[in-house]
Amino acid sequence: MPDAARTGERIFRGIPVSPGVCRGKILVLGKPHGDVISHTQISDEEIPVELKRLEQALVDTRHQVLEVQRQLTEGLGANDAAIFDAHLLVLEDPSLIDEVTKLIRQDKVPAGYAWQQVSEKYIKTLSSIGDDYLRERATDMRDVAGRVLDNLSGRETNLDLRKLKEPCIVISYDLTPSQTAQMDKKLVLGFATDSGSRTSHTAIMARSMRIPAVVGLHNATHEIASGTYALLDGYNGQIVVNPTDQTLFEYGQLVKKRVTLEERLRDTIDKPAITLDGVPILLSANVEQPSDTEAVLASGAEGVGLFRTEYLFINRDVLPTEEEQFQAYYQVADALKPSPVIIRTLDLGGDKFLSHLNVPQEMNPFLGWRAIRFCLQERAIFRVQLRAILRASVTGNIKMMYPMISGLDELLQANALVEEFKTELRTEGIPFDEHLEVGAMIEIPSAALAAESLARRVKFFSVGTNDLIQYSLAVDRLNERIAHLYEPTHPAIIRLIKMTTEAGAKHGVWTGVCGEMAGDPVLTPLLLGLGITELSAAPGAVPQIKYLIRRLKMTEARELADFALGCESATEILTRCKKLATQVAPSLFENFAP
Ligand code: PEP
Ligand code: MG
């Protein structure tokens, strides 16, 4: 960009996770993560600006500390509040402030960096002295130094995302799925995080809510200050800070191209998902809340392939009652009837927690007390949910599936509980569908390997590729540093899926995919070729998948799958997938780079 240097345009690249482009003011959330603030060089003209920012941050921090002290005095009494006197002294310490000022002037560094360098040095010195009193002062210093840094970056620490004052682009080191679920779409234009990857539940939630999002930006929260004007590009995974007119123009063109494509895709919405050679595919959508049904209907999906019920449980202070859950399940099934609605039983744990349930912190939450493991031990919670699902099954076409089944034992235990609660309902004279179909998610490698024995006890399989990939390849699905190792086309994944569809077919059990692989049109032919007959994706991804299916021949898909099953390289498989997908539906893969 010729004028980029003049206007200060900067581009931060990350992982695109939710399509769309938005522009607005940045709001940086959360505590700084890690301890290094970037050491960029400032110009001579910027020195007074940085000195002013430092002064203002010290004044703001002083006000905040005085306010905390006032509240404490009211609540606890003057003695406890006096500990904050030490914080106030730090803010007035002339040698500390002189040293920071000198560093800004002489080394030409931003105020945040200078403040952090000097305060860290003081903290280290105080902590290394073998004196309890001085060690305490180091703690005070750390606390107040953090507040100053927050103020320098304009960072909001404990902001409730439901209470934003104006539209903005949120950036944060991380966001939990429950924080994301709280976002008001009118106020959060888009969001970005330093951490995360494509299959984190936060990213999945962004796609579901259709909020443009970028993750894996590494250091953006340290380098971008609140109030900065920026453009977020959820197609290509970047944030452009202070975009030039040229950049804005190019993005205008990109958005026009996308609108044209979306109009073309709209034509297929009412048409069936059937391949060119006449093979029908059940194309469904994933939902997180009952209100998502509207988006499902608008997307042209034929039902719900995954209802992530845990979102009924988070962001609240008490567990949802049987009646509340019944209403939610009934509502979705009724709105979509006669199309199927697959309700997944509670998948708490991993990256989804309830603040009000006292679940101990675990070293490896994704390998821990999660999903069916949690439900089989917390039977009272499971009972309420199973009764609600059974009761709702009187309407529409409800099916139910269990997450994280690792082998036969868990499946048998869960099925036994379902039978127990059916008996309960019968005794109480409460109606339910006696023939409710029950399936198992295949998302742990052991389940794929044991698919034959599972297939004898279920009506369908749904492959949760998000977890299947994470567990098979030992790649944490949340970790941006190893996101490049998270390979859906890894030969091991291809074989596990094939093993599942084969075991299912042998016992008359159909196999679907409800993980994010189902929403990637590049991978649609491969999945169908491997014997998958149902795909369930975020509503926003459904039209493009249908568009591609309607242009694909099953014979081509099977050829691709045969190639993949004989291939040793994830990259080669992916290249072949891209080749076929681009050949059958080129307009889906036009260059959408700005
Ligand atoms: C999966 O693991 O692929 C899946 C669909 O479940 P979740 O993403 O909710 O873990
Ligand atoms: Mg899963």
Side-chain angles (χ1 to χ4, degrees):
M1 305 283 157
D3 54 348
R6 187 164 49 80
T7 60
E9 175 176 286
R10 280 183 78 194
I11 298 181
F12 295 81
R13 289 179 217 285
I15 305 167
V17 294
S18 182
V21 172
C22 61
R23 291 189 273 157
K25 264 206 238 163
I26 294 281
L27 174 71
V28 186
L29 286 188
K31 288 262 176 224
H33 187 87
D35 48 13
V36 187
I37 287 194
S38 94
H39 178 182
T40 41
Q41 201 77 28
I42 57 173
S43 63
D44 285 337
E45 297 79 63
E46 285 171 309
I47 291 176
V49 179
E50 289 302 297
L51 291 173
K52 185 86 202 131
R53 286 202 329 111
L54 174 67
E55 195 187 316
Q56 189 59 47
L58 292 170
V59 170
D60 291 346
T61 310
R62 186 177 163 73
H63 287 149
Q64 288 159 356
V65 174
L66 286 170
E67 177 57 20
V68 174
Q69 204 170 28
R70 189 189 61 75
Q71 287 171 3
L72 268 182
T73 311
E74 278 172 13
L76 295 170
N79 277 352
D80 295 287
I83 53 171
F84 283 95
D85 287 342
H87 289 207
L88 293 170
L89 286 178
V90 171
L91 296 169
E92 288 158 8
D93 182 338
S95 53
L96 169 73
I97 296 168
D98 271 1
E99 210 173 316
V100 178
T101 310
K102 225 185 259 165
L103 202 60
I104 296 173
R105 283 189 207 284
Q106 288 174 0
D107 288 16
K108 296 190 187 168
V109 289
Y113 178 79
W115 174 264
Q116 193 183 42
Q117 292 301 303
V118 179
S119 59
E120 280 296 325
K121 193 176 85 183
Y122 275 58
I123 292 166
K124 258 192 209 134
T125 313
L126 287 171
S127 342
S128 63
I129 300 170
D131 176 299
D132 284 350
Y133 174 79
L134 289 176
R135 261 203 299 271
E136 282 289 308
R137 297 291 70 76
T139 310
D140 290 335
M141 177 105 194
R142 184 169 289 117
D143 191 345
V144 80
R147 277 183 195 271
V148 175
L149 274 183
D150 283 350
N151 285 323
L152 275 169
S153 65
R155 204 182 289 274
E156 295 275 358
T157 40
N158 284 316
L159 194 73
D160 184 339
L161 284 173
R162 284 170 291 196
K163 294 186 188 143
L164 296 177
K165 290 187 203 83
E166 54 177 348
C168 60
I169 297 174
V170 169
I171 33 182
S172 176
Y173 171 73
D174 193 12
L175 281 170
T176 63
S178 50
Q179 281 175 307
T180 314
Q182 282 182 339
M183 287 179 179
D184 177 344
K185 273 174 65 176
K186 285 193 278 321
L187 295 177
V188 180
L189 306 169
F191 74 81
T193 57
D194 288 348
S195 64
S197 71
R198 227 192 119 66
T199 55
S200 65
H201 283 104
T202 299
I204 292 171
M205 198 64 191
R207 287 193 282 282
S208 167
M209 295 171 78
R210 298 198 181 208
I211 298 179
V214 178
V215 302
L217 283 161
H218 298 288
N219 217 17
T221 52
H222 282 157
E223 308 220 1
I224 308 178
S226 279
T228 316
Y229 181 73
L231 178 149
L232 182 144
D233 168 7
Y235 296 113
N236 300 291
Q238 48 194 31
I239 289 195
V240 186
V241 166
N242 297 324
T244 61
D245 289 346
Q246 174 66 19
T247 302
L248 293 175
F249 170 76
E250 286 167 8
Y251 269 100
Q253 301 297 104
L254 181 150
V255 170
K256 266 194 207 147
K257 275 202 257 173
R258 292 296 309 196
V259 170
T260 314
L261 172 62
E262 268 150 38
E263 271 162 13
R264 186 178 300 176
L265 293 179
R266 224 170 282 144
D267 287 348
T268 63
I269 283 176
D270 297 327
K271 300 193 175 127
I274 184 162
T275 62
L276 270 186
D277 43 2
V279 182
I281 304 300
L282 179 57
L283 183 54
S284 325
N286 295 348
V287 296
E288 275 81 35
Q289 3 233 1
S291 55
D292 294 341
T293 32
E294 242 173 72
V296 175
L297 289 166
S299 74
E302 281 179 76
V304 166
L306 166 63
F307 183 165
R308 286 187 167 94
T309 57
E310 45 282 2
Y311 286 92
L312 300 174
F313 289 67
I314 56 185
N315 285 330
R316 45 184 298 155
D317 299 327
V318 287
L319 293 166
T321 61
E322 181 181 314
E323 188 56 27
E324 273 177 83
Q325 290 190 58
F326 162 75
Q327 292 294 347
Y329 307 144
Y330 188 96
Q331 195 184 322
V332 176
D334 208 45
L336 295 177
K337 70 185 177 198
S339 300
V341 171
I342 302 179
I343 301 178
R344 174 175 77 182
T345 61
L346 193 56
D347 182 7
L348 280 181
D351 58 351
K352 290 172 290 193
F353 298 101
L354 300 187
S355 47
H356 60 283
L357 267 193
N358 246 342
V359 177
Q361 272 216 330
E362 296 179 318
M363 294 281 275
N364 292 304
F366 272 109
L367 299 181
W369 203 35
R370 190 189 159 189
I372 197 71
R373 303 165 177 189
F374 171 89
C375 286
L376 290 174
Q377 286 180 38
E378 292 292 319
R379 291 198 176 188
I381 296 177
F382 202 24
R383 174 174 173 271
V384 171
Q385 180 171 49
L386 291 178
R387 282 177 57 103
I389 296 173
L390 282 165
R391 284 176 52 200
S393 68
V394 291
T395 192
N397 182 3
I398 288 184
K399 302 177 197 297
M400 175 174 79
M401 67 182 176
Y402 312 122
M404 288 275 290
I405 291 289
S406 64
L408 189 56
D409 259 12
E410 282 163 340
L411 177 63
L412 294 177
Q413 281 182 57
N415 277 345
L417 287 176
V418 173
E419 289 311 314
E420 187 181 323
F421 303 134
K422 278 185 178 176
T423 309
E424 242 181 53
L425 290 175
R426 268 186 222 111
T427 318
E428 292 167 30
I430 299 175
F432 61 90
D433 175 9
E434 289 279 355
H435 306 290
L436 172 76
E437 291 188 2
V438 175
M441 285 193 72
I442 303 293
E443 49 183 351
I444 300 183
S446 58
L449 294 161
E452 281 254 1
S453 58
L454 300 178
R456 292 192 197 98
R457 280 96 177 173
V458 293
K459 290 281 189 248
F460 63 93
F461 285 146
S462 185
V463 184
T465 49
N466 305 338
D467 280 316
L468 185 66
I469 298 168
Q470 131 162 295
Y471 295 132
S472 307
L473 307 183
V475 178
D476 178 351
R477 66 192 264 194
L478 305 183
N479 189 335
E480 74 286 358
R481 287 197 176 80
I482 48 170
H484 61 287
L485 299 174
Y486 189 95
E487 293 179 304
T489 54
H490 192 293
I493 302 299
I494 310 289
R495 281 171 213 165
L496 288 169
I497 296 176
K498 180 70 179 169
M499 210 175 252
T500 308
T501 57
E502 268 180 359
K506 213 161 145 188
H507 297 276
V509 162
W510 57 265
T511 303
V513 170
C514 62
E516 295 305 296
M517 268 179 95
D520 184 348
V522 166
L523 304 175
T524 307
L526 176 65
L527 293 177
L528 301 188
L530 288 170
I532 296 296
T533 56
E534 182 243 22
L535 294 169
S536 190
V542 166
Q544 48 176 345
I545 303 294
K546 195 190 275 185
Y547 182 88
L548 189 137
I549 290 173
R550 292 177 55 80
R551 281 155 184 77
L552 176 74
K553 284 198 194 115
M554 204 55 176
T555 45
E556 297 165 323
R558 291 204 186 104
E559 254 171 49
L560 172 68
D562 286 345
F563 164 80
L565 286 163
C567 182
E568 293 176 332
S569 148
T571 316
E572 263 179 57
I573 299 173
L574 182 59
T575 308
R576 281 287 280 263
C577 289
K578 282 184 180 157
K579 193 170 159 211
L580 179 57
T582 335
Q583 210 173 292
V584 299
S587 40
L588 290 185
F589 306 99
E590 264 179 41
N591 185 5
F592 289 111

